[in-house]
Amino acid sequence: MGPARLGRLAERAAAFGQPALGLTDHGVMNGAVEHYKACRKHGINPVIGLEAYFVDDRRTEALKYERNHLTLLASSDTGFRNLVKLSSAGYLEGYRRGKANVDLELLSRHAEGVIALTGCLQSRFCRRLVEDNPAEARAHADRLVQVFGPDNVYFEIQRNGIAEQDKANEGIVRIARELGRPLVATGDVHYLRREDFENHRALLCVQTKSTISEPKLSFDNNEFFLKSSDEMAGDFAAWPEALATTVEIAERCSVEIELGKMLIPSFPTPDGEPEPACLRRLAHEGLRARYGDPPPAEAVERLEMELGVIEKMGFSAYFLIVWDFVKYAKDSGISVGPGRGSAAGSLVSYCLDITEVDPLAYGLLFERFLNPERVSMPDIDIDFSVKGRARVMRYVEDKYGKESVAQIITFGKMLPRNATRDAARVLGHDYGAGDRLAKLIPEPVMGRSLSFEKYLEQEPDLRRAYDTEPDSRAIIDTARGLEGIVRNASIHAAAVVISDRPLTDIVPLQLADAGTGEDGQKVYRTVTQYSMKPVEEIGLL
């Protein structure tokens, strides 16, 4: 994906009357939940997939080896779970030189419910055809059939105006007909509309730290947009059966991602005590410690009300888990903050020593934190000292199992100020040109920024530069095309997810760069491929 937003893609596909839309991120499934929601919102079928990096041996230590693309689609819930496993294993078992590699053995392990397409121009199949080696291309296709089954392998053709693709198509059609296998037409979409090509060029230059005049990576033409059904029919007029197969595959793919459930792990209570009873006992002990014995009737009444809501909503284990690792930190001499946000309104949190602000003394409302009328996961913001945070993390991993604990990925998006500086650089201007315009845009407030449209309305100096200076107009127009696009992925500073089962049963995982260790070697941490909001939506703690 390039500068095409998932919501806009789904909206445009629906406007074209197309029944489905597929997403196959390179090596990952970062956008699966957002894609699923966007398609459902617009009444079309979300086809969820993965463009895997295929290698001969995922564990190779060779400095040079062949790596190709392979298109995989989930035809069922089982297939979706297998893609989650496959994508995760690509990182956890096959991460080499910045890519998550899979091989035939790994594919065989997770083939059920998965449809394989022979792939784009960078696939093993197409590269062999371009290199005039049809025998090896056919042998590779045979291996895919052995792994996925004859009814789950399709011969993929594209029309993108690239001469090598045209050459590959000739071989694809010939071999498919020799084998009696179906052709499928696909469109490689990197931007929404044909006219968004320039935005895509600029994005590639940002990502490769180059300029439009001297790009390190570029596309040969502007055919990589979401085409209408009529445009696709025109492109594939020589093979109309391939378009019928596209619809057939879309109809075969039926995946339900359950949102809104809760997958809170159980808490290992002493002697198997029920979690609500354990929480109640600890809370009342804390109540007496905070307010004296006997505690005031007002405090007892408030505590019982909160405990009733917590038990009814199924969050007893949540509070016990948080209580446990906060207690570990305090017992270990690790500094813990007093608690932030709406959690300070919970008397239970105060009695468990999770927070240090007395909600009764300050008239804080529990309903702002947890409300039975609005079912959502409680959110307790806790600050640990940087020096002790890793120890708390290790404690949680040891308690619940490393396979059930991970940090959460976060995606840095291009906001107007940094997009302006990037746009100036890729257009070949010196730093000062972009910096001057960026400083005409207000700083984000709490990480939030308005749109370029709003700033052009509200900031007269920015508007004047846009209206009177051709270079400034070009920079801002380019920056507008970059606005909101994901620039980089990193590890969320504080977010950790704990599951009641191995995380790869639920969410795809990947490795993220965590800097350099004491030995000077790169350190990688396991993180979810979904960012915070999708992680919460699928019910993880």
Side-chain angles (χ1 to χ4, degrees), residues 1-2 4-7 9-10 20-39 44-52 70-74 80 83 117 187-190 226 253 255 257 529-530:
M1 293 295 293
R5 279 74 160 183
L6 292 175
L9 278 168
L21 182 68
L23 176 67
T24 54
D25 281 337
H26 282 190
V28 291
M29 300 175 70
N30 294 141
V33 174
E34 287 100 326
H35 175 66
Y36 178 86
K37 290 174 60 183
C39 287
I44 60 177
N45 183 32
V47 177
I48 299 173
L50 166 70
E51 188 160 14
L70 178 64
T71 310
L72 305 173
L73 306 174
F80 175 72
L83 287 189
L117 313 186
D188 193 1
V189 178
H190 286 257
L226 183 65
C253 292
V255 170
I257 300 179
Q529 289 185 22
Y530 301 159

Side-chain angles (χ1 to χ4, degrees), residues 12 42 109 118 147 182 368 373 383 429 495 523-524:
R12 192 164 176 82
H42 292 285
R109 205 192 307 166
T118 51
V147 169
R368 291 193 62 187
E373 303 302 319
D383 298 298
H429 295 284
V523 175
Y524 293 95

